[in-house]
Amino acid sequence: MPELPEVEVTRRGVAPHIEGRVVQAVVMRREGLRWPFPPGLSGLLVGQRITHTDRRGKYLLIHFGHGALIIHLGMSGHLRVLPPGVEPRKHDHFDLVVDGADGQQVLRLHDPRRFGAVLWHDQQEGELGNHLLLRGLGVEPLGEGFSGALLYLQTRKRSAPIKQVLLAGDIVVGVGNIYACESLFQARINPKTPAARISRARYERLAQAIKEILAAAIVQGGSTLKDFIAVNGQSGYFQQSYFVYDRAGVPCRNCGAPIRQIKQGQRSTFYCIQCQR
């Protein structure tokens, strides 16, 4: 599943091609994805100018003067920017056609498993941050509001393992499975440790590790395990830098001990039995 770095890579890729441009057409090749496409979406968007793009957690936000599109890539989705006239492939479900000084461009959503989403939030409904999908999200890990002190204060009554607390997204958003495993390894914290038992000093290390891991992943184009590709069709290569994720049984790059794989909340967790005591 695309995580925060992959969504941010996507946002940075599409922004120069759509920001400031006027929507010429909206093409929907089915009734919806995980949820139905918003009724009357073409009427809402055609003739309207895209003011800017943004990201909240794993949601890509395309802003207009009267509201915003909320796009989620689901488990297998990706966006491409294409010239007009490119025939849609199977699973190309949604197009946003925009016009600019250099002609039309097509923002196309490809989603084989159809767990993604294209939703609309109207400005008349209030602040975008109060949208049902966004209101419960924690702070952005790359923003100024995220710190070890925040993690420490918010986990004093959390008995769940720290890996599960990170994935929950209500304290810090967007730290998905891959990057939680890698960050906990860099901070030398066992993923099974109850969140309330971790000291403030160790949380400071963890917060710094999360920031560094996510920033490095964005620079490297995210991770490409199966489905994700960037807007330009290229694969990310952060997976070449993994220390623990998807390396079960392989010697640790630091100490040589075998990387262990366990299940936590139906998700695979990878960690070093020596470095993460």
Side-chain angles (χ1 to χ4, degrees):
M1 178 182 292
E3 299 186 15
L4 184 153
E6 290 76 50
V7 179
E8 180 61 20
V9 167
T10 297
R11 188 200 68 77
R12 296 183 185 188
V14 304
H17 300 281
I18 66 173
E19 288 183 344
R21 296 183 180 237
V22 175
V23 175
Q24 300 295 306
V26 177
V27 180
M28 294 166 281
R29 299 185 180 89
R30 57 182 300 111
E31 292 183 356
L33 299 172
R34 184 174 182 181
W35 298 289
F37 289 131
L41 188 59
S42 292
L44 286 168
L45 298 185
V46 172
Q48 299 294 326
R49 187 177 301 276
I50 296 171
T51 60
H52 63 287
T53 61
D54 200 358
R55 178 194 51 75
R56 186 71 174 99
K58 300 178 186 179
Y59 294 96
L60 173 66
L61 308 175
I62 301 178
H63 291 267
F64 298 81
H66 62 310
L69 275 180
I70 303 173
I71 298 178
H72 194 281
L73 299 178
M75 297 181 67
S76 59
H78 62 262
L79 289 167
R80 297 285 302 278
V81 175
L82 303 167
V86 176
E87 288 295 318
R89 301 172 297 165
K90 185 179 181 181
H91 308 308
D92 285 347
H93 302 307
F94 178 84
D95 287 357
L96 193 67
V97 183
V98 299
D99 204 359
D102 53 352
Q104 285 189 344
Q105 301 214 57
V106 179
L107 181 66
R108 178 167 290 170
L109 175 61
H110 180 84
D111 186 5
R113 299 190 188 183
R114 301 196 299 274
F115 279 107
V118 177
L119 303 172
W120 173 252
H121 178 81
D122 199 282
Q123 185 173 300
Q124 295 181 355
E125 298 173 356
E127 294 291 331
L128 178 59
N130 291 327
H131 187 278
L132 181 62
L133 295 176
L134 306 180
R135 68 178 62 158
L137 299 181
V139 301
E140 289 287 335
L142 297 177
E144 294 182 359
F146 178 60
S147 66
L150 174 75
L151 286 175
Y152 179 77
L153 290 173
Q154 294 293 319
T155 55
R156 294 308 82 204
K157 297 181 180 180
R158 303 288 280 267
S159 60
I162 181 57
K163 165 82 178 306
Q164 298 303 99
V165 170
L166 291 177
L167 295 187
D170 57 335
I171 298 177
V172 57
V173 68
V175 185
N177 197 39
I178 294 172
Y179 303 107
C181 289
E182 292 296 309
S183 298
L184 287 167
F185 173 81
Q186 183 166 310
R188 304 178 72 89
I189 296 174
N190 189 299
K192 297 182 290 183
T193 305
R197 291 179 53 190
I198 298 174
S199 68
R200 179 164 179 165
R202 299 182 80 197
Y203 270 127
E204 294 289 354
R205 293 206 308 267
L206 179 57
Q208 186 61 33
I210 289 171
K211 293 178 180 181
E212 291 176 358
I213 293 291
L214 293 178
I218 292 170
V219 169
Q220 296 179 47
S223 297
T224 299
L225 296 178
K226 182 178 179 182
D227 299 298
F228 176 75
I229 60 173
V231 173
N232 59 7
Q234 296 180 352
S235 299
Y237 56 93
F238 185 72
Q239 65 271 15
Q240 298 174 13
S241 304
Y242 291 165
F243 276 83
V244 290
Y245 186 82
D246 202 30
R247 300 187 72 241
V250 178
C252 173
R253 299 182 193 274
N254 282 352
C255 72
I259 300 300
R260 180 169 295 176
Q261 178 180 3
I262 60 173
K263 286 287 186 180
Q264 289 183 295
Q266 308 305 313
R267 305 295 298 275
S268 290
T269 292
F270 301 87
Y271 69 105
C272 175
I273 58 177
Q274 293 294 332
C275 294
Q276 295 171 262
R277 290 183 177 275

